[in-house]
């Protein structure tokens, strides 16, 4: 059994996954409420909260899986990219756990983790496929040829898709994190009410900053009453533009690269309109779209472990470059 830990942003998460990809326990403690009053994640606040939540989340995970630390054969942990202080809490906890039991440790790339959410039971996906990874921190097109990794073929030139959702939600007074709230508000709106732009950038890249500005201009001249009345139309039109940008670029890339299968992962993969628009794609299960540790343990099944005690020197990294 692999014990996975994930603390790269504002979710403190642990999971137990078997070598076959069976999820025995999956616990996610979201800190969203704690950061909501600041309108975004405050890194230092997140680190401190991870410190408080790590032990209870771990205990809950073992209880859920009906397991003890004796049942754990390896520890897996996200070591980047993410908030450096937050990552260090998870990495330190993972090192301590692995070291105390003389277990091997798998350092996992967070993005590989998102892709590996597709490799879990009951319907594990087999490479090759073209993967759209859309989250709060990234919007990437990945050429996935093996379980062990991926090649980046496209990225965002500015904001990530999830960031566009969150900033849009904020402009519409829908709180933080706003992706899911905007998704719900859009359900009652007319997606053709506003004509928001879909950025045209060369190659397989994305751009969302112009769209965000267009929403800002649409919103800033509205009175509070008008905003209230137009909120769902604005949400629906804005969401339509983000989803169109993602779908058009992804299907075009699949065509050009000759990919026969498209997959979608990351927090934005939970979006109902995106799921509807790419209904033929392999979609990560909604519960595994946003950050979790089951995907981290899943990725570890396909990566090399560092033997005891060599991993004590391992460091975290904030960004991939
Ligand atoms: O993958 P994730 O949990 O964290 C990162 O690795 O960044 O993604 C979080 C992002 C947030 O921006 C959130 O607003 C967005 O995913 N999100 C959604 C939905 N649920 C979460 N965006 C659109 N529609 C949703 N239903
Ligand atoms: Zn993530």
């Amino acid at each position: 059994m692999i014990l996975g830990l994930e603390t790269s942003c504002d979710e403190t998460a642990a999971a137990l996954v078997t070598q076959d990809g069976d999820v025995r326990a999956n616990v996610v403690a979201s800190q969203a409420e704690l950061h909501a009053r600041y309108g975004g994640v405050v890194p230092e606040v997140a680190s401190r909260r991870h410190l408080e939540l790590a032990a209870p989340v771990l205990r809950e995970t073992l209880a859920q899986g009906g397991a003890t630390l004796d049942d754990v054969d390896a520890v897996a942990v996200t070591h980047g990219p993410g908030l450096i202080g937050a990552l260090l809490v998870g990495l330190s906890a993972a090192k301590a756990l692995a070291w105390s039991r003389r277990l091997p440790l798998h350092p996992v790339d967070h993005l590989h983790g998102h892709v590996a959410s597709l490799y879990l039971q009951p319907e594990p996906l087999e490479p090759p496929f073209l993967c759209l990874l859309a989250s709060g921190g990234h919007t990437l097109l990945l050429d996935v040829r093996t379980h062990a990794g991926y090649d980046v073929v496209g990225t965002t030139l500015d904001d990530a898709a999830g960031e566009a959702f969150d900033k849009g939600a904020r402009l519409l007074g829908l709180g933080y994190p706003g992706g899911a709230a905007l998704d719900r508000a859009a359900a009652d709106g007319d997606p053709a009410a506003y004509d928001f732009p879909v950025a045209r950038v060369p190659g397989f890249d994305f751009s969302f900053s112009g769209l965000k500005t267009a929403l800002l201009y649409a919103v800033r001249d509205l009175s509070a009453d008008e905003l209230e009345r137009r909120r769902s139309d604005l949400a629906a039109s804005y969401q339509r533009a983000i989803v169109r940008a993602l779908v058009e670029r992804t299907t075009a890339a699949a065509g050009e690269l000759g990919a026969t299968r498209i997959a979608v992962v990351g927090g934005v993969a939970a979006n109902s309109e995106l799921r509807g628009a790419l209904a033929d794609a392999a979609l990560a299960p909604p519960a595994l779209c946003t950050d979790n540790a089951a995907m981290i343990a899943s990725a570890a099944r396909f990566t090399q472990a560092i033997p005891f005690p060599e991993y004590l020197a391992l460091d975290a990294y904030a960004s991939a470059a």
Side-chain angles (χ1 to χ4, degrees):
M1 201 124 71
I2 303 172
L3 170 66
L5 295 178
E6 152 65 41
T7 65
S8 67
C9 190
D10 64 342
E11 273 93 16
T12 315
L16 286 169
V17 172
T18 65
Q19 194 57 51
D20 298 337
D22 201 13
V23 181
R24 296 290 170 83
N26 186 25
V27 176
V28 181
S30 169
Q31 306 179 8
E33 261 175 53
L34 182 65
H35 300 282
R37 77 182 96 150
Y38 308 110
V41 178
V42 182
E44 183 59 23
V45 173
S47 309
R48 287 167 192 267
R49 193 71 181 131
H50 283 306
L51 214 48
E52 292 167 355
L53 289 172
V57 163
L58 177 65
R59 252 182 253 121
E60 173 70 21
T61 303
L62 291 171
Q64 204 182 83
T68 70
L69 284 178
D70 290 338
D71 301 310
V72 175
D73 303 299
V75 179
V77 64
T78 309
H79 70 141
L83 303 171
I84 195 71
L87 287 162
L88 283 171
V89 176
L91 181 59
S92 304
K95 282 181 187 175
L97 276 168
W99 181 82
S100 70
R101 301 254 149 187
R102 300 182 159 256
L103 297 174
L105 183 84
H106 294 265
V108 174
D109 166 71
H110 183 80
L111 308 177
H112 185 210
H114 274 297
V115 176
S117 66
L118 297 163
Y119 303 148
L120 290 163
Q121 301 287 355
E123 285 181 82
L125 185 69
E126 288 293 318
F129 53 88
L130 178 73
C131 188
L132 169 65
L133 191 172
S135 70
H138 299 89
T139 305
L140 296 166
L141 274 175
L142 308 173
D143 184 14
V144 181
R145 305 256 155 190
T146 74
H147 288 103
Y150 56 80
D151 288 314
V152 177
V153 294
T155 185
T156 179
L157 302 178
D158 38 61
D159 293 346
E163 205 177 347
F165 269 106
D166 291 338
K167 288 177 177 171
R170 189 176 182 162
L171 287 170
L172 294 173
L174 292 167
Y176 174 87
L182 200 148
D183 192 347
R184 283 192 297 275
D188 306 321
D190 173 9
Y194 291 84
D195 191 18
F196 289 125
V198 174
R200 308 245 171 253
V201 290
F204 298 146
D205 291 336
F206 302 89
S207 166
F208 294 103
S209 65
L211 175 60
K212 177 189 64 192
T213 309
L215 179 64
L216 173 68
Y217 288 159
V219 165
R220 69 171 178 188
D221 298 328
L222 298 181
S223 68
D225 278 357
E226 281 172 322
L227 177 59
E228 190 66 42
R229 255 186 296 115
R230 303 305 310 269
R231 184 178 283 123
S232 52
D233 284 346
L234 284 160
S237 305
Y238 185 74
Q239 174 171 282
R240 173 64 49 95
I242 297 178
V243 169
R244 266 184 56 202
L246 293 173
V247 171
E248 283 175 12
R249 196 37 46 112
T250 303
T251 46
E256 279 188 52
L257 295 169
T260 50
R261 200 78 212 263
I262 292 174
V264 192
V265 300
V268 178
N271 183 263
S272 58
E273 185 168 346
L274 182 62
R275 296 181 84 82
L278 287 174
D280 293 337
L283 305 167
L288 297 177
C289 288
T290 46
D291 287 348
N292 63 85
M295 68 186 198
I296 302 304
S298 179
R301 294 153 59 214
F302 308 103
T303 64
Q304 199 76 37
I306 305 178
F308 169 88
E310 286 168 31
Y311 44 76
L312 291 179
L314 190 68
D315 211 348
Y317 59 93
S319 60

